[in-house]
Amino acid sequence: MFGYYLDLALRSLKRNKALTVLMVLAIAVGIGASMTTLTVMHLLSGDPMPGRSATLFYPQVDPTDSPSADSQPRDMMDYRSAVDLWSAQRADRQALIASTELKMRAPGVNLPPQMARVLSTTSDFFPMFAVPLRYGTAWTPADDAQRTRVAVISSDLNNRLFGGADSVGRTLRLKDTDVRIVGVLAPWRPSPQFYDVAGGRFSEGKTSSFYSRPEDVFLPFGTAQDIAGNEFNVFTCWGDLEGLKHLQTAPCVWVALWVQLDDAAKVAGYRRFVADYAAQQKVLGRFVHGDNTRMMDLMQWLDFNHVVPGDVRLQVVLAFAFLLICLCNTVGLLLAKFLRRSGEIGVRRALGASRGAVFAQCLVEAGMIGLLGGLGGWLLTLLGLWLVRRQPVEYADLVHLDGGMFLATFVLAVLASLLAGFVPALRASRVAPGLQLKTL
Amino acid sequence: MDILPILSTLRRHKITALLLVLEIALTCAIVCNAVFLISQRLDRMKMQSGVAEHELVEVQAFGIGKPGDAKAHTQEDLLALRQIPGVKSVALVNEVPFTNSSWNSGIKLDPKQTQATLNATMYYGENALETFGTQLIAGRLFNSDEFVDFDAIQRDEAVRRKVTGVIITRGLGEKLWPGQDPLGKPIYLADQPVRVIGVVAGLIRPSLFNGDATAQWSMVFPFRVDTGNASRFVLRTAPADRDRVLAAAAAELRRTDPHRVILDKKTFDDIRADFFQDDRAMAGLLLGVCIALLVVTALGIVGLGSFWVAQRRRTIGVRRALGATRGSILRYFQTENFLLATIGIALGMVLAYGINLFLMLHYELPRLPAYYFPVGAIALWLIGQMAVLGPAMRAAAVPPVVATRSV
């Protein structure tokens, strides 16, 4: 029976080509727009550490002398608090993070000096965030303690400087210091670059910078302090300029701490530990707000920072409104199409076709249009994503259509067209056999 | 034209008529808001910087050989840059409008405040305002003997206490002391007051991280920076000379220190274009959506119109046979479309207002200006009339003889 309906649908589609093309186009354009924006949204709002994000936490304390306007702790920690918490080693894994830009040269490589984005972190960073290494290894906790002059570099930088060869053992000159490369990352592109996310709630939806590539050079935390001195990216300072001479003691927040806690008991324990630390610092007179602590997990932290750019959200809403209009259009056209065939349907009904059969046949035809529309929509989605990739945004290189979204394109198209075909098919199945026969 | 018969005919096509109305309503609501969003983005792109944009170029250079002699090197650099033919003025500054990298500070009106009144940006650099071409509207610029080395301020409390003057923008003055003359009034960054000695018409902050409303909250301090603590050279020249001056400046800077990294060299027009690229992209996208929506709606009207004409061929034939002119058949379909469009537009206006309220809540957008409603209505009426014209003409072309055929 289905085969017969399919045949009828094909014939019917061929009969009025203009109307068919119009409907297929309407669905294709609507699907193309919504799937393009939905794909971008899907890529940007995903979990950057699937399977592990629930065990990663971002503790916060409030070292400031006056509360912030929204009474949240600042988005990063001062050096002292971060290092204190890290040194306690109370979590399963813990990594300090601070970033900077340093002038960089590679001796023996014929390239002008350039500015390298440097992440200053600790050895747990690599296993904790499952960072893949192509060559060599990450540094060890001993290197953290001894402030060894070693570095891990990104796959991009390795390609730029060494043409992708195994560069372990080679030297980089950072500012005035030589460091030895001990590891080279395999291509690694978390989305967003979650460990650097902070301050998103102040950026009014302009958060595309959270999707930039990982840093070029990774240095042990202490080593980076020695090399960069005061030149770290600071989240914010308070108090007067006087204190800025030494970032390590300055009234500034610029260090982040990430911890991995593998079960609920440890999470509760760590929460208590952070609260106790802050309370103790208040007793010591270093903190004013000893009770203002927080600890969000990775996804909560991303959510708190509204990582998905406001423009992307707006585009999704727009695209779906657009799809809705295209569907309205399709409903109207399908209605026109089915009712125009009232005569034919009347004959079929008179010859014994049940209402259900007519209804099913109309839906098959609608689904067929949806399938064709989905095909067009898929091509338009590819075009749309190609356009997004050409935009000068940080996430441009992440944008692609994965298998799931490819399937979703067709499912959405067919569902949409079936929905659009529902009322017209119902109307068509109600055609009274006798009335139509009379006029033939 | 009699409207009642049209209405009674439409009553027999409830669903199709409703769909058309819905489509027009949705289109109207979305297009009104999208056009409004586009206009917001375009307005934003016109944001005044307060500097002589078409005459400025910037070279960002980083890293001087040995620390310690940065001051002498800087003077050498500035001298070399000044000597480039066509250069009117040169300054080394800590930050530059529209570059997203800024130095900011909370300021207080009373040293006893626990919370800063607001956060403003701080421009440093000898000769900065002259080079930027910022317009002074009250007070005076800094005298050359008022400048102190930025390094010395950080090192020496006594030097810091010597800094007592600041130049602010009119916008910042109005925010801090509404309706009053800011000249001579004190602000506090720490415990020590600095008094406003000059007011400039405008000088935008480099980064609008606190929102566009804070765009003009800028202060200029008489701090002399060197290449150890600042990296942006700004040169002012005639608009036609910009590209040549830019290339020459980069070459000069490389000559005075071959180890230097030239991070960026750009004309100010390019800096502005880069700063607003997201807005431009979004405006383009929204424009595309608007056009696509209008086209889809128009096609929908054409499709349904054609269907109705085909369905009513016999009726039209009968009417023609009874003496209706071609013109009256044409007008019948046009009036029908006008009626449907009007209902759609009315519904669309309500919806547009609702969407605008939502955007006001979630995207801090202003209220949709009232003139959007009549303009949107007229646009949709016109599109409706144009879209229905084809089918209506086909209807008018139906010969009266059709009436005699198949009945």
Side-chain angles (χ1 to χ4, degrees):
Chain A
M1 219 46 187
F2 185 72
Y4 173 60
Y5 292 160
L6 217 58
D7 185 47
L8 278 182
L10 271 177
R11 279 167 197 279
S12 154
L13 289 182
K14 266 188 242 159
R15 204 173 308 144
N16 195 334
K17 291 207 180 76
L19 210 57
T20 307
V21 168
L22 214 59
M23 284 189 284
V24 169
L25 263 185
I27 291 192
V29 171
I31 294 290
S34 10
M35 285 314 291
T36 301
T37 54
L38 208 60
T39 302
V40 172
M41 178 88 160
H42 167 73
L43 291 169
L44 297 190
S45 61
D47 182 345
M49 283 272 105
R52 200 179 282 199
S53 52
T55 63
L56 298 173
F57 291 87
Y58 192 79
Q60 289 171 276
V61 295
D62 186 354
T64 61
D65 51 6
S66 58
S68 62
D70 55 3
S71 78
Q72 299 278 355
R74 301 300 196 272
D75 287 32
M76 288 192 175
M77 273 192 260
D78 59 299
Y79 178 85
R80 166 89 181 274
S81 307
V83 170
D84 281 352
L85 292 174
W86 176 80
S87 318
Q89 304 279 322
R90 294 287 196 93
D92 292 308
R93 280 173 178 144
Q94 45 246 311
L96 290 171
I97 282 177
S99 62
T100 178
E101 282 91 43
L102 291 175
K103 185 179 152 186
M104 174 195 68
R105 278 200 69 109
V109 174
N110 193 17
L111 281 175
Q114 44 185 296
M115 294 305 290
R117 291 170 59 225
V118 175
L119 191 76
S120 149
T121 185
T122 50
S123 50
D124 277 357
F125 178 86
F126 300 93
M128 183 160 137
F129 296 143
V131 185
L133 276 109
R134 171 101 193 269
Y135 302 117
T137 55
W139 63 82
T140 63
D143 293 321
D144 281 329
Q146 290 155 21
R147 302 178 162 228
T148 325
R149 299 288 183 258
V150 291
V152 170
I153 64 172
S154 73
S155 154
D156 279 346
L157 183 68
N158 193 48
N159 289 340
R160 249 183 1 247
L161 292 179
F162 307 110
D166 183 355
S167 56
V168 169
R170 295 195 62 154
T171 303
L172 278 187
R173 189 157 185 80
L174 292 169
K175 212 174 160 191
D176 306 312
T177 311
D178 283 336
V179 294
R180 184 171 50 85
I181 297 171
V182 292
V184 177
L185 298 191
W188 182 53
R189 186 80 170 86
S191 156
Q193 196 192 351
F194 59 93
Y195 54 87
D196 278 340
V197 164
R201 65 187 193 281
F202 306 116
S203 58
E204 298 195 317
K206 295 186 182 60
T207 51
S208 48
S209 63
F210 288 152
Y211 294 88
S212 57
R213 292 158 189 280
E215 286 79 358
D216 301 313
V217 179
F218 299 79
L219 292 178
F221 195 73
T223 312
Q225 306 297 313
D226 293 345
I227 297 176
N230 258 5
E231 292 167 25
F232 282 91
N233 298 333
V234 172
F235 185 77
T236 189
C237 293
W238 59 97
D240 61 46
L241 286 173
E242 195 74 4
L244 290 180
K245 272 180 266 181
H246 297 291
L247 221 37
Q248 281 77 1
T249 54
C252 296
V253 288
W254 56 283
V255 185
L257 172 69
W258 281 98
V259 295
Q260 182 178 336
L261 301 161
D262 290 334
D263 61 58
K266 282 180 185 162
V267 175
Y270 205 85
R271 244 179 245 289
R272 216 173 313 115
F273 166 62
V274 174
D276 289 349
Y277 173 78
Q280 174 215 2
Q281 294 299 308
K282 188 175 180 183
V283 171
L284 291 174
R286 200 170 76 84
F287 281 8
V288 182
H289 312 286
D291 51 350
N292 197 8
T293 63
R294 299 264 190 295
M295 192 170 81
M296 298 190 207
D297 70 22
L298 173 55
M299 292 316 279
Q300 286 169 336
W301 178 242
L302 296 184
D303 201 38
F304 179 70
N305 279 284
H306 314 295
V307 287
V308 176
D311 279 358
V312 173
R313 289 174 190 280
L314 192 62
Q315 283 162 13
V316 171
V317 174
L318 259 178
F320 273 86
F322 186 53
L323 179 63
L324 192 66
I325 289 175
C326 290
L327 282 185
C328 267
N329 215 334
T330 312
V331 176
L333 295 177
L334 277 176
L335 209 53
K337 200 158 198 289
F338 291 162
L339 290 185
R340 183 182 271 184
R341 295 212 315 269
S342 295
E344 180 197 321
I345 294 169
V347 173
R348 285 195 60 212
R349 293 274 285 123
L351 292 177
S354 68
R355 283 196 172 169
V358 173
F359 182 76
Q361 188 222 318
C362 288
L363 269 194
V364 167
E365 189 173 333
M368 194 83 154
I369 291 169
L371 212 57
L372 286 174
L375 200 69
W378 169 59
L379 293 174
L380 286 176
T381 304
L382 290 182
L383 177 75
L385 293 178
W386 178 77
L387 284 173
V388 175
R389 271 196 297 275
R390 287 168 48 91
Q391 298 281 317
V393 287
E394 278 83 351
Y395 51 79
D397 65 305
L398 288 167
V399 171
H400 68 280
L401 194 70
D402 58 25
M405 293 314 267
F406 172 78
L407 219 64
T409 309
F410 288 92
V411 171
L412 185 65
V414 172
L415 274 183
S417 65
L418 288 182
L419 197 70
F422 186 77
V423 174
L426 208 63
R427 281 289 301 271
S429 68
R430 294 242 172 94
V431 166
L435 202 68
Q436 295 297 330
L437 281 179
K438 247 193 283 177
T439 60
L440 273 177
Chain B
M1 186 100 241
D2 216 346
I3 288 175
L4 284 176
I6 298 182
L7 283 180
S8 69
T9 314
L10 281 180
R11 215 167 289 144
R12 264 185 284 139
H13 299 281
K14 269 196 222 93
I15 296 181
T16 32
L18 185 74
L19 282 168
L20 205 62
V21 166
L22 265 182
E23 205 181 320
I24 292 174
L26 274 174
T27 306
C28 176
I30 293 172
V31 168
C32 273
N33 277 287
V35 169
F36 182 52
L37 286 173
I38 294 174
S39 77
Q40 290 290 311
R41 301 279 171 150
L42 295 183
D43 277 353
R44 184 165 197 268
M45 286 165 68
K46 279 189 239 145
M47 197 181 281
Q48 294 296 314
S49 64
V51 304
E53 284 181 38
H54 303 310
E55 301 173 26
L56 295 178
V57 299
E58 183 225 18
V59 182
Q60 196 186 358
F62 196 88
I64 203 97
K66 299 156 223 78
D69 51 2
K71 212 175 297 176
H73 274 295
T74 305
Q75 290 311 314
E76 191 189 325
D77 291 337
L78 290 173
L79 193 68
L81 292 177
R82 233 169 249 133
Q83 256 141 42
I84 297 171
V87 170
K88 293 178 187 161
S89 179
V90 179
L92 175 69
V93 293
N94 65 327
E95 59 180 31
V96 158
F98 298 137
T99 49
N100 271 326
S101 152
S102 61
W103 300 22
N104 305 282
S105 175
I107 54 181
K108 300 175 183 175
L109 292 175
D110 182 324
K112 289 189 287 289
Q113 271 172 248
T114 53
Q115 285 267 12
T117 307
L118 55 83
N119 176 294
T121 196
M122 306 176 287
Y123 281 92
Y124 309 152
E126 203 170 9
N127 211 16
L129 288 173
E130 292 87 336
T131 306
F132 278 144
T134 313
Q135 187 200 348
L136 186 76
I137 53 167
R140 61 176 178 86
L141 295 181
F142 298 118
N143 301 321
S144 55
D145 61 350
E146 280 172 298
F147 279 90
V148 293
D149 285 326
F150 183 61
D151 281 345
I153 299 163
Q154 289 185 298
R155 257 195 327 270
D156 191 344
E157 177 76 6
V159 178
R160 187 169 72 89
R161 298 233 164 250
K162 270 196 252 169
V163 178
T164 54
V166 62
I167 294 175
I168 65 168
T169 56
R170 176 166 43 196
L172 181 57
E174 273 163 13
K175 177 72 190 175
L176 290 175
W177 304 284
Q180 298 175 46
D181 182 7
L183 277 185
K185 295 218 159 56
I187 54 171
Y188 295 83
L189 273 73
D191 53 339
Q192 175 203 346
V194 277
R195 289 183 188 278
V196 176
I197 65 151
V199 180
V200 291
L203 177 58
I204 203 165
R205 45 200 308 179
S207 154
L208 305 179
F209 63 92
N210 272 342
D212 292 358
T214 72
Q216 288 294 338
W217 298 357
S218 306
M219 310 179 278
V220 187
F221 285 94
F223 296 163
R224 193 182 294 119
V225 289
D226 58 52
T227 47
N229 45 41
S231 62
R232 295 175 183 272
F233 290 94
V234 178
L235 296 88
R236 188 155 171 211
T237 177
D241 292 341
R242 280 177 296 177
D243 290 336
R244 181 179 56 79
V245 165
L246 196 53
E252 276 302 312
L253 287 173
R254 238 179 250 120
R255 187 184 60 78
T256 52
D257 177 5
H259 296 299
R260 191 174 341 234
V261 189
I262 304 287
L263 283 180
D264 215 351
K265 55 179 173 104
K266 272 181 185 167
T267 66
F268 238 76
D269 288 343
D270 290 343
I271 291 177
R272 169 187 272 273
D274 285 354
F275 188 78
F276 291 110
Q277 66 187 10
D278 287 355
D279 294 294
R280 197 166 344 118
M282 192 66 185
L285 186 97
L286 287 169
L287 186 70
V289 168
C290 284
I291 293 172
L293 270 181
L294 294 176
V295 169
V296 165
T297 307
L299 284 179
I301 294 173
V302 172
L304 270 188
S306 309
F307 165 63
W308 275 341
V309 170
Q311 215 183 25
R312 296 179 201 163
R313 267 180 80 82
R314 246 170 287 144
T315 328
I316 296 167
V318 170
R319 289 196 55 204
R320 290 278 284 129
L322 291 176
T325 60
R326 276 166 200 265
S328 66
I329 300 289
L330 193 71
R331 269 196 305 282
Y332 175 89
F333 280 96
Q334 283 178 323
T335 312
E336 186 186 65
N337 180 269
F338 182 80
L339 280 178
L340 289 176
T342 306
I343 304 172
I345 288 166
L347 208 64
M349 297 294 168
V350 178
L351 205 57
Y353 186 71
I355 294 176
N356 178 235
L357 278 185
F358 175 84
L359 289 175
M360 279 166 67
L361 268 174
H362 293 269
Y363 289 88
E364 289 171 32
L365 220 70
R367 189 175 294 280
L368 199 61
Y371 68 83
Y372 271 71
F373 294 102
V375 171
I378 290 169
L380 277 165
W381 271 319
L382 281 180
I383 287 172
Q385 290 300 310
M386 280 192 298
V388 86
L389 201 61
M393 300 245 276
R394 231 174 305 140
V398 170
V401 70
V402 168
T404 64
R405 271 186 203 150
S406 57
V407 179

